[in-house]
Amino acid sequence: MTSNDSLDQLARVLESRKGGDPESSYTARLLHKGSDAFLKKIGEEATELVMACKDADFGGDKSKIVSETADLWFHSMVALAHYGLSPQDVIAELDKRVGTSGLEEKASRKAKDREVSESKGVNP
């Protein structure tokens, strides 16, 4: 099984949990509670990943980085499912960025955001 297969399989499971029984499924419970619940989890998992990385800087267990990344990815995928998006949408975005300097990509996003703000009459 490839990593894309694994992501697609997880996405299908998450999709199947929409409208599921919140008493029998953690994912259904998160989705039932609404975006505040899974967004809070994303924040918590991101913080735990940062702490695991910092611990590894001082000789801590690097496997915790993998574990916390998996937790962050899972909860991010719950968000994708909630908003009708898929891992393939993220992969397509990453594919578009291949060969593009990170600095160039960030500058182009800022320019695009400025254009959108100006077209709406908002000062950035």
Side-chain angles (χ1 to χ4, degrees), residues 5 7 14 20 32 34 36-38 42 53-54 58 72 78 83-84 98 104 106 114 122-123:
D5 292 338
L7 291 174
L14 296 176
H32 178 75
D36 284 349
F38 60 78
I42 290 171
C53 290
K54 293 304 290 177
F58 297 100
L72 179 58
V78 170
Y83 293 108
V98 170
E104 290 173 11
K106 187 173 182 176
R114 259 193 314 275
V122 177
N123 254 341

Side-chain angles (χ1 to χ4, degrees), residues 52-81:
C53 290
K54 293 304 290 177
D55 288 347
D57 285 344
F58 297 100
D61 182 2
K62 290 182 184 177
S63 70
K64 288 185 179 182
I65 295 171
V66 173
S67 176
E68 295 303 340
T69 299
D71 290 346
L72 179 58
W73 285 14
F74 173 83
H75 289 91
S76 296
M77 287 185 62
V78 170
L80 290 172

Side-chain angles (χ1 to χ4, degrees), residues 10-120:
L10 177 56
R12 284 191 299 275
V13 169
L14 296 176
E15 190 65 32
S16 76
R17 298 298 195 264
K18 286 182 174 180
D21 181 7
E23 297 300 316
S24 63
S25 166
Y26 172 73
T27 301
R29 186 177 314 143
L30 277 177
L31 292 167
H32 178 75
K33 288 181 178 181
S35 62
D36 284 349
F38 60 78
L39 294 173
K40 180 180 177 187
K41 287 301 295 180
I42 290 171
E44 289 171 7
E45 299 303 345
T47 299
E48 290 173 10
L49 173 57
V50 168
M51 293 186 320
C53 290
K54 293 304 290 177
D55 288 347
D57 285 344
F58 297 100
D61 182 2
K62 290 182 184 177
S63 70
K64 288 185 179 182
I65 295 171
V66 173
S67 176
E68 295 303 340
T69 299
D71 290 346
L72 179 58
W73 285 14
F74 173 83
H75 289 91
S76 296
M77 287 185 62
V78 170
L80 290 172
H82 174 79
Y83 293 108
L85 300 167
S86 74
Q88 294 311 312
D89 295 315
V90 177
I91 290 168
E93 178 63 25
L94 291 172
D95 286 344
K96 286 191 321 191
R97 296 180 186 190
V98 170
T100 303
S101 156
L103 296 174
E104 290 173 11
E105 192 278 331
K106 187 173 182 176
S108 76
R109 271 191 288 139
K110 284 184 178 182
K112 184 177 178 182
D113 290 346
R114 259 193 314 275
E115 289 174 15
V116 169
S117 294
E118 290 170 358
S119 71
K120 291 181 179 179

